[in-house]
């Protein structure tokens, strides 16, 4: 399912030769079109015709209007059910491209070639596709596995520092929920750069893949991957609605700090562990000002989270460094305490 590409993309070319496709559609945004597409096209060997589909970069493009435009383009270009969509990009592209492909003509094949650290370690893996609805994150989507995921770590060289840091949040999360050694190795990194991060990417990908294989449709253990995302998604959605979108990893880092403290308040981890987790995350991520958002703003979005049931907020919370529980229903008092705790970090 996940293949590391060599310098001449031989594994991708073998895949294209072994399969029978009618046509190839490559989905990119303006950034991957400029920096990554030339590398892909310079190494891709196929006699099939292909078309480039380009959208603007940014989370704000991950909506039904963009999906509809892509469906219309596929229709106009007479894409049939044997067509292949190659999603070349970060999380927005793999989410959007997977959703469009999995719904067009009730599903055509697609592969992901992630170009950001976040998409390599998280977004491209697991078969979750989707778009945002209004300012609610990933509210419409499908479960649909890509045919393959091809990872080319050299694409990370095209990323600004903030994108590397964003992806690192998901790597930290994987360690916290499933692999204490991975967490301990990651927090030894003093400078977030490609040289330091690349040796740990495979472990992070493997953690995500292993969890997904156990629970594809997110009925149980896959929910642990949502640690940091319940509060993080709420804040990310509010920023998006405000017209001031933030990177997903920034929101997840903020969410992990809040939810680590919430894990302590709920009696699931010790204060010492919570403090160690929080202090290490703070080493990499600056404080995020959420003073514009009231408790009511955030809790309203928490109540609409996809993981909820019976009108109760379900959290995935830590039970130790390297272990996590799911479907944990917290007291309203502790949820608000965790938000107040985060707000007060700026004064600490």
């Amino acid at each position: 399912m996940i293949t590391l590409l060599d310098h001449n993309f031989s594994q991708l070319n073998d895949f294209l030769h072994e399969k029978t496709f009618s046509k190839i559609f490559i989905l990119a945004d303006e950034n991957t079109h400029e920096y990554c597409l030339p590398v892909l096209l310079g190494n891709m060997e196929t006699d099939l015709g292909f078309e480039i589909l380009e959208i603007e970069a940014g989370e704000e493009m991950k909506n039904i209007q963009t999906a509809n435009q892509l469906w219309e383009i596929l229709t106009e270009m007479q894409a049939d059910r044997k067509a292949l969509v190659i999603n070349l990009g970060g999380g927005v592209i793999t989410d959007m491209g997977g959703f469009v492909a999995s719904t067009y003509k009730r599903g055509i094949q697609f592969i992901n070639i992630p170009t950001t650290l976040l998409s390599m370690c998280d977004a491209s893996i697991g078969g979750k596709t989707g778009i945002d609805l209004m300012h609610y994150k990933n509210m419409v989507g499908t479960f649909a596995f890509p045919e393959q995921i091809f990872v080319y770590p050299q694409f990370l060289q095209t990323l600004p520092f903030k994108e590397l840091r964003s992806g690192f949040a998901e790597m930290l999360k994987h360690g916290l929920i499933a692999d204490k050694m991975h967490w301990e190795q990651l927090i030894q990194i003093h400078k977030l750069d490609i040289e330091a991060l690349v040796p740990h990417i495979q472990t992070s990908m493997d953690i995500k893949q292993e969890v997904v294989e156990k629970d594809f449709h997110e009925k149980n253990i896959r929910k642990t991957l949502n640690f940091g995302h319940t509060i993080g998604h709420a804040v990310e959605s509010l920023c998006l609605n405000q017209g001031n979108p933030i990177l997903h990893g920034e929101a997840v880092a903020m969410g992990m700090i809040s939810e680590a403290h919430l894990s302590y308040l709920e009696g699931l981890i010790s204060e010492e562990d919570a403090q160690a987790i929080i202090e290490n995350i703070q080493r990499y991520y600056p404080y995020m000002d959420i003073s514009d958002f009231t408790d009511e703003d955030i809790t309203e979005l928490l109540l609409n989270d996809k993981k909820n049931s019976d009108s109760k907020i379900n959290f995935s919370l830590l039970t130790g460094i390297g272990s996590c529980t799911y479907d944990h229903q917290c007291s309203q008092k502790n949820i608000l305490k965790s938000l107040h705790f985060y707000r007060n970090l700026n004064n600490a």
Side-chain angles (χ1 to χ4, degrees):
M1 177 65 74
I2 303 173
T3 302
L4 288 175
L5 288 170
D6 57 24
H7 68 281
N8 58 6
F9 286 37
S10 62
Q11 300 91 337
L12 172 63
N13 290 324
D14 289 344
F15 169 82
L16 294 175
H17 292 151
E18 290 165 4
K19 300 282 185 175
T20 303
F21 300 113
S22 57
K23 194 172 184 179
I24 296 173
F25 295 87
I26 302 173
L27 178 63
D29 65 25
E30 58 204 88
N31 294 325
T32 54
H33 188 281
E34 179 177 356
Y35 297 109
C36 304
L37 184 62
V39 177
L40 172 61
L41 296 182
N43 288 284
M44 192 170 75
E45 298 173 0
T46 180
D47 295 328
L48 292 171
F50 62 86
E51 299 286 350
I52 311 300
L53 312 179
E54 182 183 341
I55 64 172
E56 293 180 33
E59 180 74 25
E60 54 271 35
M61 298 305 297
K62 204 173 86 174
N63 55 48
I64 193 64
Q65 289 80 17
T66 307
N68 193 61
Q69 290 171 0
L70 293 171
W71 286 321
E72 289 179 357
I73 292 170
L74 290 172
T75 302
E76 289 167 2
M77 292 183 172
Q78 299 181 332
D80 60 26
R81 295 179 84 174
K82 290 186 176 181
L84 174 72
V85 174
I86 298 178
N87 298 315
L88 179 70
V92 170
I93 289 293
T94 57
D95 280 3
M96 168 74 70
F99 175 68
V100 168
S102 67
T103 50
Y104 178 75
K105 294 192 174 179
R106 295 195 177 93
I108 61 175
Q109 296 178 87
F110 67 97
I111 63 173
N112 291 333
I113 305 180
T115 60
T116 66
L117 185 61
L118 188 137
S119 60
M120 288 179 188
C121 293
D122 189 67
S124 71
I125 303 170
K128 273 187 178 180
T129 79
I131 55 174
D132 302 336
L133 181 64
M134 297 181 288
H135 60 284
Y136 296 102
K137 283 276 295 180
N138 301 327
M139 286 295 282
V140 178
T142 62
F143 286 100
F145 268 133
E147 296 300 306
Q148 285 280 342
I149 301 165
F150 293 101
V151 175
Y152 187 60
Q154 286 86 335
F155 279 145
L156 296 178
Q157 296 172 3
T158 67
L159 297 181
F161 171 74
K162 284 183 69 173
E163 288 284 356
L164 283 178
R165 187 175 64 190
S166 177
F168 187 62
E170 294 287 2
M171 298 176 74
L172 290 173
K173 180 203 73 180
H174 290 153
L176 284 172
I177 67 167
D179 189 333
K180 184 176 182 179
M181 183 179 295
H182 186 50
W183 161 262
E184 290 176 346
Q185 290 172 342
L186 292 176
I187 62 174
Q188 296 304 312
I189 297 175
H190 298 291
K191 182 181 179 183
L192 292 183
D193 57 25
I194 297 169
E195 184 179 358
L197 291 168
V198 164
H200 304 285
I201 291 175
Q202 185 70 56
T203 301
S204 198
M205 290 192 300
D206 290 345
I207 292 170
K208 172 77 181 274
Q209 183 70 11
E210 183 179 347
V211 172
V212 168
E213 286 175 352
K214 290 178 181 176
D215 177 28
F216 179 46
H217 288 289
E218 200 171 27
K219 301 297 184 185
N220 43 73
I221 194 172
R222 183 169 182 168
K223 295 178 183 179
T224 61
L225 293 168
N226 291 309
F227 171 66
H229 286 61
T230 305
I231 291 174
H233 266 171
V235 170
E236 189 176 2
S237 294
L238 288 167
C239 291
L240 188 63
N241 189 48
Q242 198 180 56
N244 185 31
I246 57 175
L247 292 177
H248 177 67
E250 295 172 348
V252 169
M254 178 269 163
M256 288 194 295
I257 289 173
S258 302
E259 292 178 24
H261 187 68
L262 184 56
S263 300
Y264 157 65
L265 293 175
E266 290 287 313
L268 299 174
I269 60 173
S270 68
E271 184 175 14
E272 181 182 11
D273 277 353
Q275 195 59 35
I277 291 164
I278 291 163
E279 287 177 358
N280 276 296
I281 295 173
Q282 285 181 298
R283 286 172 46 215
Y284 302 104
Y285 297 89
Y287 175 79
M288 183 185 301
D289 186 1
I290 60 170
S291 58
D292 284 351
F293 311 132
T294 66
D295 289 345
E296 292 73 21
D297 291 333
I298 295 174
T299 52
E300 180 185 345
L301 282 166
L302 296 181
L303 286 166
N304 209 23
D305 191 276
K306 298 184 296 299
K307 301 180 295 298
N308 294 344
S309 58
D310 301 323
S311 300
K312 294 178 180 176
I313 303 169
N314 289 331
F315 279 88
S316 297
L317 297 178
L318 300 178
T319 53
I321 297 177
S323 62
C324 186
T325 189
Y326 55 87
D327 288 346
H328 186 92
Q329 294 175 352
C330 304
S331 70
Q332 179 79 357
K333 178 179 73 174
N334 282 344
I335 295 172
L336 296 180
K337 276 186 176 180
S338 72
L339 295 175
H340 295 166
F341 170 81
Y342 185 83
R343 288 191 182 97
N344 289 330
L345 284 178
N346 198 34
N347 302 318

